[in-house]
């Protein structure tokens, strides 16, 4: 009986402690979110830019997103939209003297980095300074740093410059060992999404397309570095090809950086620049804090431009956080179309594609909207396959030269796991009312007749995809087919081929939308509406927090887990990128 009461009291104590912690968290965040939002800047402030977390296209208003148990404070998760807006806001604010670009790595795609870099170059037109510092630049962070007036490097650090590579994982050997047979249907010689399951290396066609687009992106980066560092592209190529920069002094010798300094020495420079009394007295403003600084730029007007964010895999139904659900996303576009105050729509796409059915559903809403108001597509790091499908009907397509796009193709991938279950002593017997009742089941291989049916459906969906692109881009179907076939293109090549109209980022797309709508003053409305923070918090206490925990636990290896999850989630014909694209 004594042990029984111990268990009861221990359970009660655990419950009370859990309740108390939750109460503190919610109270702290309510206090943070209900307090005075506007932040007032001190004179001679410096915008401090660091990028420690992956940068999403859209910031998260959820105060639980960046909750700190140490300080018991919550904060908004800053997105690319916030970063671009804050840099422009800092250029116009008389309290900001300059920017301290404090970067080691920038865990984001090349096109995202390009947009931030372009905004920094625009910032310099204000006459304010940008100083960059790192204890060791990765290749992406160094490219970003080249926008600065001065680049400082730790005396024992390094500025990495070695060229780009792309790695593809192949699972055929594993599937053979466990007795799982992939059954593949596709259209397009470049539609190589299925290759990792049926081969152990790249096909010649796939190798050709990868070499083409990473070469295009690398050449663009080389040109950008050469221009800002006042050296020739040939010199940049030589540095990378011969690995001439392997230490900090070499980085200065080959003009990749300006000076070698420790952090305290850089802070002393910033101190003098802002007339601060000491390095600990410098008025640094974080990106999160800058979000709440009053915008001195004129953003008045009753008219609106809606930015509809499509970030993540395109899936059927509502979709989860980080996905583009056909139902939820269609609802957002429809809202923008029916709102009389919304005069133009910017469709911001950062998606490798996904369900062909969901892509068609979203395409329909974009087409209906284009009939009544301008719709501009803004492509981020990737807008490929299904991501291009939903961009095709837009009036104008804006992309970065480093955007990955195209991949106009379709595939179906199913698995026959009969041998695997037989290997462990399990047998399967089936009763069916009609011959095709068990088509695409995992318990057997498809028959020749079934394969013909499936391939016909693949061809039909591909023809529909090509037709949508043909109509949207005012090209013949034969022309589209010649550059389609599932081939992936860089933004540079996509523009040359007519798949993209204009180079630029989100700001450029908004500018074009305003011009087409005849607007000189307007407000921005972001869609879809974000989920209520408290509802989201309760979800994160359950299953929705699993991905975040796994990501922190697995680190760089999380992408392998993601690939298997994407594979598991494929329930229909797919219009998506060949694989999870990572450039190093």
């Amino acid at each position: 009986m004594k042990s029984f009461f111990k268990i009861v009291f221990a359970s009660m104590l655990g419950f009370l402690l859990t309740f108390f912690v939750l109460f503190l968290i919610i109270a702290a965040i309510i206090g943070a979110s209900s307090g005075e939002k506007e932040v007032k800047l001190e004179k001679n402030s410096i915008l401090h830019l660091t990028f420690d977390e992956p940068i999403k296209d859209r910031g998260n208003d959820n105060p639980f997103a960046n909750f700190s148990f140490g300080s018991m404070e919550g904060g908004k998760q800053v997105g690319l939209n916030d970063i671009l807006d804050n840099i422009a806001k800092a250029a116009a604010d008389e309290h900001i003297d300059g920017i301290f670009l404090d970067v080691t790595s920038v865990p984001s795609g090349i096109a995202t980095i390009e947009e931030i870099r372009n905004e920094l170059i625009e910032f310099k037109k204000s006459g304010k300074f940008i100083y960059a510092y790192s204890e060791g630049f990765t290749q992406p962070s160094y490219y970003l740093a080249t926008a600065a007036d001065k680049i400082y490097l730790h005396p024992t650090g390094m500025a990495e410059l070695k060229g780009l590579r792309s790695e593809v994982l192949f699972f055929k050997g594993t599937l053979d060992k466990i007795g799982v047979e992939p059954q593949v249907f596709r259209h397009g010689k470049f539609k190589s999404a299925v290759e990792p399951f049926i081969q152990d290396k790249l096909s010649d066609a796939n190798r050709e397309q990868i070499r083409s687009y990473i070469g295009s992106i690398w050449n663009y980066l080389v040109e950008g570095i050469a221009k800002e560092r006042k050296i020739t592209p040939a010199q940049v190529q030589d540095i990378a090809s011969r690995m001439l920069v392997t230490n900090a002094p070499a980085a200065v010798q080959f003009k990749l950086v300006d000076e070698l300094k420790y952090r305290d020495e850089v802070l002393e420079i910033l101190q003098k620049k802002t007339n601060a009394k000491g390095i600990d007295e410098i008025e640094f403003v974080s990106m999160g804090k800058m979000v709440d600084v009053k915008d001195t730029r004129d953003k008045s007007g009753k008219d609106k431009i809606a930015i509809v964010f499509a970030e993540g895999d395109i899936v059927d139904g509502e979709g989860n956080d980080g996905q583009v659900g056909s139902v939820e996303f269609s609802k957002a576009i429809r809202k923008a179309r029916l709102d009389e105050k919304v005069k133009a729509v910017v469709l911001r796409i950062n998606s490798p594609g996904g369900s062909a059915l969901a892509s068609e559903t979203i395409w329909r809403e974009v087409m209906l909207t284009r009939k009544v108001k301008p719709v501009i597509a803004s492509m981020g790091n990737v807008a490929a396959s299904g991501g291009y499908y939903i961009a095709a009907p837009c009036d104008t397509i804006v992309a970065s030269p480093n955007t990955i796009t195209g991949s106009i193709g379709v595939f179906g991938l199913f698995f026959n796991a009969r041998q695997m279950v037989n290997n462990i002593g399990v047998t399967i017997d089936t009763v069916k009312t009609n011959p095709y009742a068990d088509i695409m089941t995992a318990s057997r291989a498809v028959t020749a007749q079934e394969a013909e049916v499936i391939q016909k459906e693949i061809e039909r969906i591909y023809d529909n995809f090509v037709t949508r692109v043909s109509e949207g881009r005012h090209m013949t179907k034969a022309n589209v087919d010649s550059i389609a076939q599932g081939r992936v293109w860089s933004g540079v090549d996509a523009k040359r081929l007519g798949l993209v109209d204009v180079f630029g980022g989100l700001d450029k797309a908004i500018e074009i939308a305003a011009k087409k709508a005849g607007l000189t003053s307007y407000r921005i409305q972001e869609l879809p509406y974000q989920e209520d923070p408290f509802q989201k918090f309760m979800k994160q206490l359950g299953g929705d927090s699993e991905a975040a925990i796994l990501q922190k636990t697995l680190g760089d290896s999380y992408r392998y887990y993601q690939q298997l999850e994407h594979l598991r989630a494929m329930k229909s014909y797919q219009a998506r990128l060949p694989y999870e694209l990572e450039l190093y």
Side-chain angles (χ1 to χ4, degrees):
M1 195 68 175
K2 193 173 180 180
S3 61
F4 169 76
F5 282 112
K6 279 185 179 180
I7 294 170
V8 170
F9 285 129
S11 300
M12 289 177 63
L13 181 61
F15 172 79
L16 290 172
L17 284 173
T18 302
F19 178 81
F20 181 66
V21 170
L22 285 174
F23 174 78
L24 287 177
I25 292 172
I26 294 171
I29 294 177
I30 290 174
S33 60
S34 63
E36 182 65 32
K37 284 289 290 180
E38 186 180 318
V39 171
K40 295 188 182 299
L41 296 177
E42 299 293 333
K43 287 183 178 180
N44 305 121
S45 293
I46 297 176
L47 182 59
H48 188 194
L49 298 187
T50 59
F51 302 105
D52 300 322
E53 299 291 332
I55 302 169
K56 292 191 172 183
D57 276 352
R58 185 185 187 187
N60 192 340
D61 290 325
N62 181 3
F64 298 98
N66 281 339
F67 184 78
S68 168
F69 283 94
S71 62
M72 293 301 287
E73 292 180 352
K76 177 176 177 176
Q77 189 175 41
V78 176
L80 177 63
N81 58 334
D82 300 309
I83 294 168
L84 300 178
D85 194 52
N86 284 345
I87 294 172
K89 191 160 62 171
D93 196 307
E94 62 181 11
H95 296 92
I96 298 287
D97 284 358
I99 289 176
F100 179 36
L101 188 56
D102 188 5
V103 292
T104 297
S105 66
V106 185
S108 295
I110 297 292
T112 292
I113 293 169
E114 180 73 19
E115 288 200 51
I116 298 171
R117 184 175 182 270
N118 288 340
E119 194 64 52
L120 290 172
I121 291 172
E122 184 68 23
F123 173 89
K124 290 196 292 186
K125 293 179 182 178
S126 67
K128 302 178 181 183
F129 67 84
I130 302 178
Y131 290 163
Y133 172 76
S134 181
E135 293 184 353
F137 289 107
T138 62
Q139 198 159 250
S141 68
Y142 176 71
Y143 180 65
L144 180 63
T146 57
D149 301 295
K150 293 283 186 182
I151 302 179
Y152 300 110
L153 177 64
H154 190 284
T156 58
M158 193 176 90
E160 187 178 80
L161 194 64
K162 55 184 174 56
L164 296 179
R165 77 177 189 274
S166 177
E167 295 180 350
V168 181
L169 296 176
F170 291 86
F171 304 103
K172 181 180 183 299
T174 301
L175 295 177
D176 288 345
K177 286 181 179 180
I178 64 175
V180 173
E181 176 196 6
Q183 299 173 96
V184 172
F185 304 88
R186 57 178 166 174
H187 184 105
K189 67 176 181 177
F190 291 99
K191 199 60 184 176
S192 44
V194 295
E195 280 190 4
F197 308 103
I198 59 175
Q199 296 178 189
D200 55 13
K201 64 180 181 179
L202 295 168
S203 66
D204 291 341
N206 198 6
R207 188 177 298 278
E208 175 190 337
Q209 74 168 345
I210 294 174
R211 183 183 291 114
S212 175
Y213 67 69
I214 69 170
S216 173
I217 292 171
W218 172 244
N219 288 336
Y220 187 84
L221 298 182
V222 166
E223 293 283 345
I225 292 169
K227 181 180 178 181
E228 295 302 322
R229 296 306 300 166
K230 296 179 174 53
I231 55 180
T232 68
Q235 287 174 300
V236 178
Q237 290 282 20
D238 191 47
I239 291 168
S241 296
R242 296 202 288 151
M243 277 293 286
L244 296 176
V245 176
T246 57
N247 54 55
V252 176
Q253 178 189 345
F254 289 98
K255 299 182 180 180
L256 296 187
V257 303
D258 295 292
E259 295 181 64
L260 304 182
K261 291 189 179 295
Y262 292 98
R263 176 177 289 273
D264 63 285
E265 293 177 303
V266 176
L267 292 177
E268 284 176 4
I269 294 172
L270 296 175
Q271 175 197 341
K272 291 174 183 176
K273 219 33 182 163
T274 58
N275 299 314
K277 293 179 180 178
I279 61 174
D280 293 331
E281 301 296 321
I282 300 171
E283 291 290 342
F284 284 120
V285 183
S286 69
M287 189 58 76
K289 189 177 179 182
M290 192 68 192
V291 170
D292 296 325
V293 173
K294 184 178 180 181
D295 196 341
T296 58
R297 298 168 296 162
D298 181 20
K299 284 193 171 183
S300 59
K302 61 178 182 178
D303 294 327
K304 297 183 288 187
I305 292 176
I307 304 176
V308 188
F309 289 89
E311 187 167 15
D313 290 347
I314 297 174
V315 299
D316 301 311
E318 294 286 344
N320 298 320
D321 193 29
Q323 293 179 324
V324 184
S326 59
V327 172
E328 182 66 21
F329 194 76
S330 295
K331 191 188 303 179
I333 299 174
R334 191 159 54 249
K335 179 172 180 57
R337 179 172 73 249
L338 298 177
D339 188 339
E340 293 182 358
K341 291 182 180 179
V342 172
K343 303 302 181 184
V345 177
V346 172
L347 186 60
R348 174 65 179 193
I349 304 167
N350 206 337
S351 171
S355 163
L357 174 61
S359 299
E360 172 73 8
T361 301
I362 295 169
W363 170 89
R364 170 68 178 172
E365 290 296 335
V366 176
M367 273 296 297
L368 292 174
T369 304
R370 183 186 174 181
K371 290 178 180 179
V372 296
K373 57 190 69 175
V375 183
I376 312 301
S378 170
M379 294 180 167
N381 294 313
V382 56
S385 212
Y388 190 83
Y389 199 124
I390 65 176
C394 294
D395 295 279
T396 304
I397 297 179
V398 183
S400 165
N402 302 323
T403 295
I404 295 297
T405 189
S407 191
I408 301 167
V410 183
F411 73 90
L413 177 63
F414 315 101
F415 292 94
N416 171 20
R418 191 177 191 93
Q419 186 59 50
M420 181 183 71
V421 296
N422 286 348
N423 289 344
I424 58 174
V426 177
T427 56
I428 301 171
D429 203 355
T430 305
V431 177
K432 53 187 179 181
T433 59
N434 298 83
Y436 297 120
D438 61 342
I439 189 171
M440 294 184 285
T441 178
S443 63
R444 65 170 177 81
V446 297
T447 65
Q449 294 87 347
E450 289 170 336
E452 185 178 348
V453 170
I454 295 169
Q455 188 61 39
K456 280 183 178 178
E457 186 64 9
I458 293 288
E459 299 298 335
R460 183 191 67 79
I461 295 170
Y462 176 77
D463 183 70
N464 195 52
F465 195 166
V466 169
T467 301
R468 299 307 187 208
V469 176
S470 171
E471 293 169 348
R473 302 305 299 162
H474 307 293
M475 300 164 67
T476 66
K477 287 181 67 174
N479 191 0
V480 174
D481 184 55
S482 70
I483 59 176
Q485 299 291 325
R487 179 156 186 168
V488 179
W489 302 100
S490 70
V492 170
D493 288 332
K495 186 172 183 293
R496 173 176 57 82
L497 295 167
L499 295 175
V500 166
D501 297 301
V502 181
F503 286 149
L506 183 57
D507 289 348
K508 184 67 176 179
I510 294 170
E511 178 189 319
I512 293 171
K515 187 175 181 179
K516 283 187 175 290
L519 301 178
T520 54
S521 61
Y522 52 86
R523 293 175 292 126
I524 297 295
Q525 180 181 26
E526 296 182 354
L527 296 169
Y529 289 131
Q530 293 187 331
E531 192 174 9
D532 177 78
F534 292 98
Q535 289 182 355
K536 191 159 188 174
F537 175 68
M538 295 311 293
K539 281 186 180 180
Q540 287 173 343
L541 289 178
D544 280 8
S545 63
E546 290 178 10
I549 294 169
L550 275 171
Q551 191 167 357
K552 285 188 178 294
T553 304
L554 298 176
D556 291 340
S557 299
Y558 179 69
R559 66 191 183 95
Y560 306 134
Y561 167 80
Q562 271 188 312
Q563 289 188 39
L564 293 174
E565 277 297 291
H566 290 154
L567 176 64
R568 185 185 64 82
M570 290 181 191
K571 295 182 173 66
S572 59
Y573 298 112
Q574 297 290 305
R576 64 172 295 128
L577 261 183
Y579 35 75
E580 297 304 310
L581 181 63
E582 296 280 352
L583 297 181
Y584 303 89

